[in-house]
Amino acid sequence: MPTLAELMKKHNVTPMQSPSAGPRSKLLVQVERMLSTIDTYKDVSELNGDTTQYWWAPQSVDGKRRLSARYGGKVVEGFITYADNSLEGVRGALQNFHAIIKDSTDETWAEEEERRRKK
């Protein structure tokens, strides 16, 4: 009876404890999740909340809503903007973030990775 380790080796599967995805792919996954979430919303009030589990702030201030990119549970320093407090405004800002991330490489985020290692 073969062991799991033997079967994994036989089928060329490398065991990993955690994904080795770089910051770009982590950000892409997150922004696509944010876009999918906001696409289910029908009213701007659905953006409101008590936590910062999304990239948009849980409340608006003076008709604007803060958006900040995150991965690994931390805000990406300097990757913050404000959008009109509307579904269209927030969606547009997320789409802009998506375009920026798509145009980037993992090297783009090297400074952020270094900052996170120092903390």
Side-chain angles (χ1 to χ4, degrees):
M1 178 65 91
T3 66
L4 176 59
E6 291 167 341
L7 287 171
M8 289 181 70
K9 185 176 180 180
K10 175 183 174 183
H11 293 280
N12 295 318
V13 175
T14 304
M16 296 183 76
Q17 295 301 317
S18 62
S20 59
R24 180 184 178 271
S25 57
K26 290 175 187 175
L27 283 162
L28 272 176
V29 166
Q30 289 299 314
V31 75
E32 288 169 0
R33 186 172 73 89
M34 296 300 116
L35 286 165
S36 293
T37 300
I38 200 168
D39 284 345
T40 66
Y41 291 177
K42 305 287 185 244
D43 185 77
V44 70
S45 65
E46 293 179 86
L47 294 171
N48 296 337
D50 296 325
T51 67
T52 55
Q53 67 180 356
Y54 302 112
W55 284 16
W56 53 85
Q59 68 282 326
S60 69
V61 176
D62 297 327
K64 298 285 184 183
R65 184 129 351 211
R66 180 181 168 166
L67 285 96
S68 48
R70 292 187 183 92
Y71 72 93
K74 297 177 184 173
V75 171
V76 177
E77 190 172 89
F79 203 7
I80 299 166
T81 193
Y82 284 84
D84 289 335
N85 185 40
S86 66
L87 292 177
E88 298 78 23
V90 173
R91 185 180 295 108
L94 288 170
Q95 289 167 335
N96 288 338
F97 277 9
H98 187 265
I100 291 167
I101 296 163
K102 289 282 276 191
D103 282 350
S104 73
T105 65
D106 279 340
E107 289 75 37
T108 306
W109 311 104
E111 192 175 308
E112 175 66 16
E113 288 287 287
E114 183 62 28
R115 184 184 73 81
R116 288 171 181 234
R117 274 192 282 279
K118 288 180 179 177
K119 282 195 169 193

